[in-house]
Amino acid sequence: MIRPAKAGDASRIAEMIITNYRVNFYPFFRNDEFYFSELNVVDMAAEYTEGSEELTNTYVYDDGGVIKGIIRVNGTEVVKLYVEPQFQNSGIGAELLGFAVEKFGADNLWALEYNERGIAFYRRHGFELTGEKMMEDEWVPLVKLVRIKQK
């Protein structure tokens, strides 16, 4: 069910990322201009063209032709992990994260500081907060999580 993303998946990937941004992050920032104008499916889908770094490092959870989740990995860093809201809490995120850990040795990521639900998910799957923080785009506070090596 997990396979490399293809250029033909670009619009679905973009749709899922933007839906998650709006559902999960808009309530914290209330930035209408960004979330409902700058952030759009057409521009984001354009990032996932054939041969692009975004596409090369992205994998999708494909359930019989329905893409329900995505993960993007850069080295050992999980860059993006999103599941369509209607399919959340069904194990898809855990499968994608497990895939990244197993295939790439994924052991670190940055999460939105306000995203308590996402941080709790990562903690349930062996990641812990490091105390390290950074500001992305001058207004998005991120916290770093690293995977605790299993004994």
Side-chain angles (χ1 to χ4, degrees):
M1 289 202 176
I2 298 174
R3 64 166 174 79
K6 303 180 286 198
D9 301 326
S11 63
R12 178 68 185 115
I13 291 168
E15 176 186 39
M16 194 170 356
I17 292 170
I18 288 172
T19 297
N20 272 277
Y21 278 19
R22 289 177 178 162
V23 168
N24 297 310
F25 306 145
Y26 174 78
F28 297 111
F29 299 108
R30 299 278 179 198
N31 184 332
D32 293 2
E33 175 64 26
F34 176 75
Y35 284 95
F36 298 100
S37 182
E38 286 179 50
L39 188 65
N40 65 75
V41 172
V42 173
D43 289 345
M44 182 157 297
E47 296 177 19
Y48 291 85
T49 57
E50 194 67 48
S52 68
E53 181 181 335
E54 287 82 0
L55 188 64
T56 301
N57 295 321
T58 299
Y59 294 81
V60 297
Y61 184 97
D62 185 340
D63 187 4
V66 177
I67 296 173
K68 295 181 175 181
I70 67 126
I71 191 163
R72 189 162 114 209
V73 181
N74 184 8
T76 62
E77 179 182 1
V78 174
V79 178
K80 291 192 184 310
L81 171 56
Y82 294 108
V83 175
E84 182 69 41
Q86 288 82 352
F87 302 117
Q88 289 176 3
N89 300 311
S90 64
I92 293 170
E95 276 194 57
L96 287 164
L97 186 57
F99 168 81
V101 166
E102 186 176 310
K103 183 168 176 76
F104 301 105
D107 63 3
N108 70 99
L109 60 97
W110 291 92
L112 177 66
E113 184 175 26
Y114 310 135
N115 188 1
E116 293 176 9
R117 187 169 165 233
I119 291 168
F121 166 81
Y122 291 119
R123 293 188 77 190
R124 282 194 307 276
H125 294 283
F127 287 75
E128 288 297 330
L129 291 163
T130 65
E132 191 175 345
K133 297 180 179 190
M134 79 167 178
M135 197 64 72
E136 182 179 64
D137 297 329
E138 299 180 14
W139 57 284
V140 181
L142 301 177
V143 292
K144 187 165 189 169
L145 291 96
V146 296
R147 186 167 182 268
I148 305 305
K149 303 296 181 206
Q150 306 299 317
K151 296 179 183 177

